[in-house]
Amino acid sequence: MSAQETVLKKVIKPIHLWAIGVGLVISGEYFGWNYGWDVAGTLGFLIATVIITVLYITFIFSFTELTTSIPQAGGPFTYTHRAMGPFGGLIAGYATAVEFLLATPAIAFALGNYLHFLHPALPVLGCGIAFYVILTAVNLLGIKESALFSLIITLLAVVELLIYMGIVAPSFSTANFLHDAMPAGWMGVFAALPFAMWLYVCIEGIAMVAEEVKDPGANIPKGYISAMLTLAILAVGVMVLTGGITDWRRLSTIDYPLPEAIGVVLGKQNGITKIFAGIGLFGLIASFNGIIISYSRQLFALARGGYLPPVLAVLSPERQVPYVALIVGGLLGVVALYFGKTDQLVILSVMGAVVMYILSMISLFILRKKEPALERPFKAPFYPWFPGIALVLSIVSLIAIVYYNWQLGILFFAGMLIALGVFVATGKHKVTTPEQENVIA
């Protein structure tokens, strides 16, 4: 495979990084988080969200050191491979792939449900598949075009959430929010952690486009930090205001809590309710598009490193996008649509994320000792406290997620063992290809 076939274009600027980062996650404000109310209540879930916000703030500031020091498309796979060798790289790659590949069908379900809410004749599954086809086609046009699309759709999604908060805020009641606010006590807080993570999960996908960023040392920190601050403000605002307008149980197990909430405030037949449900698609599409960018780059990097079939690392000659990885990732997502449910896909995606967070923070500590001379354009502040806090909270989150979802935990770790078995059986843990040298150098 020639160098031309595996070199990505550097066209992304800080504003695009902000859009990709916010866009990757913003669907988490539209749906998914409300399942946390079902297990913890409003106050219990708010506490879980504060814990997870601390996790993500410390993680992102620490993770940015890795992203700027090793700005390659593999992201966590690349960092962990460099710090811990091929087995660490494989586990991080597997976890990251699960995170991004299963987040998209969860969003596809929500898109289908939003359209079904607007037009009951439209099938949920069919709409989800249609969005896979459309957004995969958008990404085949090229990263510059896809990043511009992300910027426009993300701006619309942010504006929509601000309008939503303005509409429901006058109807907020503290009594509603605090009514039976912690029905499961502190155990509910732990059970709600994966749904709190859904408010931020996938923001680290910015790392997947690091090879395509102009001046990554200066621009990646700007993208990460601005995206994280935007998401934290939106997450808390949407969650608190929504919990105070009615009996929160009405909204705790549906895929379209925000249109339903506006329907409570204004009436379901109100024109604004219908319009909001329609433009509510913006946030979901923004995340769908951003995650497609991320999983295609992760599959590309794993293939370039010799962990997946080389065909997944092939770039289109004109657009320089990993078109095979885009298509294969979309097909895997459609398969997941047939076999998974929204809450199950959310939990599996978050499980992959938290395993990757743990490995990334361990890799940060290892690389600080192993490669002290590595150029670090951005260093984790308050080292070693920030990465240490992120590591501890990630481990606690993983324990809680597996404890409350042990069947899905068995599925996740069985998949990891199968991947390790295939890796060893094929002897790839002993092979260093020119592509691997390129990735981990």
Side-chain angles (χ1 to χ4, degrees), residues 154-165:
T154 299
L155 286 171
L156 290 171
V158 170
V159 169
E160 182 185 20
L161 286 179
L162 294 174
I163 293 172
Y164 167 80
M165 288 189 278

Side-chain angles (χ1 to χ4, degrees), residues 26 30 114 153-168 234 238 258-259 262 272-285:
I26 201 166
Y30 283 80
Y114 263 67
I153 206 77
T154 299
L155 286 171
L156 290 171
V158 170
V159 169
E160 182 185 20
L161 286 179
L162 294 174
I163 293 172
Y164 167 80
M165 288 189 278
I167 291 172
V168 302
L234 292 174
V238 168
L258 303 196
I262 284 195
I272 295 176
T273 302
K274 294 289 187 181
I275 292 171
F276 183 87
I279 62 176
L281 297 173
F282 290 145
L284 301 176
I285 292 171

Side-chain angles (χ1 to χ4, degrees), residues 75 95 108 110 144 185 209 227 251 254 292 365 392 432:
K144 187 175 182 180
V209 297
L251 308 173
I254 58 176
I292 285 176
F365 284 114
V392 170
T432 304

Side-chain angles (χ1 to χ4, degrees), residues 244-326:
I245 62 168
T246 185
D247 182 351
W248 52 266
R249 293 179 186 84
R250 293 178 57 182
L251 308 173
S252 64
T253 57
I254 58 176
D255 281 352
Y256 46 94
L258 303 196
E260 187 72 16
I262 284 195
V264 170
V265 173
L266 301 178
K268 289 189 178 181
Q269 301 307 314
N270 188 291
I272 295 176
T273 302
K274 294 289 187 181
I275 292 171
F276 183 87
I279 62 176
L281 297 173
F282 290 145
L284 301 176
I285 292 171
S287 288
F288 205 137
N289 186 69
I291 297 173
I292 285 176
I293 294 173
S294 296
Y295 73 56
S296 62
R297 270 58 181 181
Q298 180 66 189
L299 294 175
F300 163 83
L302 287 168
R304 186 175 63 176
Y307 288 75
L308 290 175
V311 67
L312 290 169
V314 174
L315 302 177
S316 56
E318 291 186 10
R319 302 286 182 174
Q320 293 298 103
V321 296
Y323 69 97
V324 180
L326 279 165

Side-chain angles (χ1 to χ4, degrees), residues 369-381:
K369 291 187 175 181
K370 184 179 177 181
E371 299 188 44
L374 177 67
E375 184 180 354
R376 293 175 170 86
F378 180 92
K379 288 190 174 183

Side-chain angles (χ1 to χ4, degrees), residues 57-59 61-62 65 361 364-365 368 378-390:
I57 289 172
T58 53
F59 172 76
F61 273 98
S62 304
E65 175 177 319
M361 293 301 94
L364 174 59
F365 284 114
R368 278 284 186 116
F378 180 92
K379 288 190 174 183
F382 305 108
Y383 182 89
W385 293 105
F386 263 33
I389 292 170

Side-chain angles (χ1 to χ4, degrees), residues 96 99 230 252 342 415:
T96 309
E99 174 190 1
T230 302
S252 64
T342 303

